[in-house]
Amino acid sequence: MKKTVSIFSSLALLAGVMAGCGPQDEAKPKENENEGKTEVSEDGMPPKPEKLVVWEDVKRGVALEPAIKAFEEKYGIKVEYKEVEMATKQRDQLRLDGPAGTGPDVITVPHDQIGQLVTEGLIREINVDQSVLDTFTESSIAAQMYDGKLYGLPKAVETPVFIYNKKLMDKAPETMDELYQFSKEFTKGDQYGFLALWDNFYFAHGVIAGMGGYVFKNNNGALDRNDIGLNNEGAVKGTEYIQKWYKELFPKGIIGENGGSAMDGLFNEGKAASVMNGPWAFQGMRDAGIDIGVAPMPKLPNGEPVKTFMGVKGWHVSAFSKHPEWATKLIEFITNEENAKKRFELTREIPPVKSLINDPLIAEDEGAKAVAIQSQYAVPMPNIPEMAEVWGPMATALQLVANQKAEPKQALDEAVKTIKTNIETNHPSK
């Protein structure tokens, strides 16, 4: 019986081999040949997936569509996208969809979420050529780093700039000293020469960092949570400078929770000649009938630029993607010069692509050019989880200083002490 089974097995195997040599096998080379027409030779790249999935921010798909179409034509890989709110929903949804195998290959999030995403194992490190990195401003690439490793490529930046009412101010001053003199002469009654929300650490950081302070020491792309520079000599000088403006020129109404709306109201009513604010404020000012001028922030009294905080939106590869190399190739493609320019045309999101800063499309847009220039001096908001412990204590310190209730050194020392305690409590060392 065993012998009979063996004979039938041998005959079946022979038939299979014969069939493999028959007419249907002749069609296989043609089929592969046809597939080869859409193949693009990529050194070291794995086989192409049939499809890649991208999560884009809401109301931004219009800018992604042309980039996707060009990618599909070049590489023969279908790309689908879904609009998912960027600030929180992409992160929250990836926590569920990623492990379930229904998530995307590529997501987009604000850079200050990178640390948390890496810690949770939701995004992966990427590797790209130096020529790709050289496309972008240094600060925007720094924003995509965590613990010295690269986790994404930047698509858009925003940072506070100097905005002025052209009816009240002829041109933007070059220095803060000039602005201070203008403000001393202009400020009277309910008229103000310049306003800034410097009791808010997001805005105050520009002055503090420009004078020599820092949040966490940056060691080649890795932030040291144990080295906090918010009460060093430079930080104290910066905070003393902030106190001077509050003591002599700023109204008390722009301090605290309602300070932002109070400042916006004064500017939009034509009662403030200039403010420090971000590109998100441009449209509201124009809608209020203000003819605005926009420029990089004037230089500080020490000759240094105001080192504003910068927010960077980036593209990242999901840790659950089965095609990480091609997902990386996709984000390289959709952030290249051509696609970055098209994104700006369609969404006005400002790309941190060095070659586009002087492109007429951006150079002739006063607001976009100012943000692009200022972003070169800006510092990416720290993207490590410990940053969550900084905002509250620094807000308390700055408001005490703004209200003349504490001296800068005392307030900053107390803030740093609280920050360190909170870090040890909420983020115990591994």
Side-chain angles (χ1 to χ4, degrees), residues 43 61 69 80 82 118 139 170 190 193 195 242 252 257 305 314 370 384 400-401 411:
D43 292 340
K69 183 179 179 182
E80 291 182 358
K82 176 183 177 182
V118 173
S139 57
D170 294 335
D190 61 355
L195 298 175
I242 286 171
K252 290 183 178 179
E257 193 175 328
I384 61 177
L400 287 171
V401 168

Side-chain angles (χ1 to χ4, degrees), residues 278-335:
W280 52 84
F282 294 167
Q283 194 56 52
M285 294 168 171
R286 291 176 178 133
D287 290 346
I290 305 296
D291 182 12
I292 63 169
V294 190
M297 288 298 297
K299 282 189 167 52
L300 291 164
N302 63 354
E304 290 293 314
V306 174
K307 296 181 180 178
T308 49
F309 263 148
M310 177 174 67
V312 183
K313 302 171 188 175
W315 294 110
H316 309 274
V317 176
S318 166
F320 306 97
S321 173
K322 295 178 180 177
H323 314 288
E325 295 89 349
W326 283 106
T328 300
K329 181 69 68 176
L330 175 61
I331 67 175
E332 285 183 26
F333 189 85
I334 61 180
T335 56

Side-chain angles (χ1 to χ4, degrees), residues 113-259:
Q113 293 184 13
I114 290 175
Q116 191 64 44
L117 291 167
V118 173
T119 302
E120 292 184 34
L122 298 176
I123 59 174
R124 67 170 69 227
E125 180 185 1
I126 65 169
N127 295 297
V128 300
D129 291 340
Q130 186 62 42
S131 60
V132 174
L133 297 181
D134 290 342
T135 303
F136 305 98
T137 60
E138 187 177 339
S139 57
S140 69
I141 288 296
Q144 304 301 298
M145 305 285 288
Y146 178 74
D147 202 20
K149 297 176 182 178
L150 183 69
Y151 284 92
L153 291 178
K155 73 169 181 177
V157 297
E158 59 184 23
T159 193
V161 287
F162 183 78
I163 309 170
Y164 62 101
N165 183 334
K166 291 184 176 180
K167 185 178 179 181
L168 304 176
M169 182 180 282
D170 294 335
K171 63 178 182 177
E174 295 289 327
T175 68
M176 290 299 296
D177 284 341
E178 290 177 52
L179 181 59
Y180 178 79
Q181 288 304 319
F182 171 87
S183 294
K184 283 200 78 171
E185 295 169 11
F186 186 90
T187 300
K188 56 188 72 171
D190 61 355
Q191 296 284 315
Y192 301 94
F194 172 68
L195 298 175
L197 302 174
W198 284 340
D199 67 322
N200 179 329
F201 184 56
Y202 176 78
F203 293 100
H205 174 272
V207 178
I208 290 171
M211 292 286 199
Y214 56 87
V215 184
F216 302 112
K217 189 71 172 179
N218 191 326
N219 297 320
N220 298 317
L223 297 176
D224 184 354
R225 72 179 214 163
N226 297 313
D227 188 341
I228 298 174
L230 291 175
N231 61 339
N232 67 12
E233 184 180 353
V236 172
K237 286 183 178 178
T239 308
E240 287 172 347
Y241 186 69
I242 286 171
Q243 187 179 49
K244 175 182 176 180
W245 280 84
Y246 277 101
K247 188 174 184 179
E248 300 178 16
L249 295 166
F250 286 174
K252 290 183 178 179
I254 64 166
I255 300 173
E257 193 175 328
N258 299 318

